[in-house]
Amino acid sequence: MALFEQSLGNIEGGLNRPFGDRVAVAAEKTAGSVLFDVRVDGDTCVQRMAAIGYGVTGTAIIVMGRNGQLRCASINGDTAPLVAELAAWNASR
């Protein structure tokens, strides 16, 4: 998780780069794949959310708040089905 967070923070162009670009570069640098990248409408705290999959190793989620701040977390068993649903929806678009 530390390498992942460092990858998000050390992207050339930093905070000026679009969220999707930052997520894609972080996935590339950490040998993951972007499962989804969605805009969150109607939430007072969150404006974007993305997930990066690492095969059997797990999944990381990135949330961008309304203030532009990024937060990262690994996905546990309780939230894995929700991430799988969003990834399947994203793949079908």
Side-chain angles (χ1 to χ4, degrees), residues 41-83:
D41 291 327
D43 191 284
T44 59
C45 298
V46 175
Q47 80 176 286
R48 296 289 294 262
M49 180 172 52
I52 298 176
Y54 296 97
V56 297
T57 307
T59 303
I61 191 136
I62 307 101
V63 175
M64 183 170 74
R66 293 280 171 200
N67 62 0
Q69 193 80 333
L70 298 181
R71 292 177 294 168
C72 308
S74 57
I75 299 302
N76 64 30
D78 294 341
T79 54
L82 299 173
V83 170

Side-chain angles (χ1 to χ4, degrees), residues 19-44:
F19 178 77
D21 290 352
R22 295 175 74 186
V23 170
V25 171
E28 182 181 327
K29 286 185 173 184
T30 59
S33 60
V34 178
L35 301 176
F36 64 81
D37 173 4
V38 296
R39 182 181 318 278
V40 179
D41 291 327
D43 191 284
T44 59

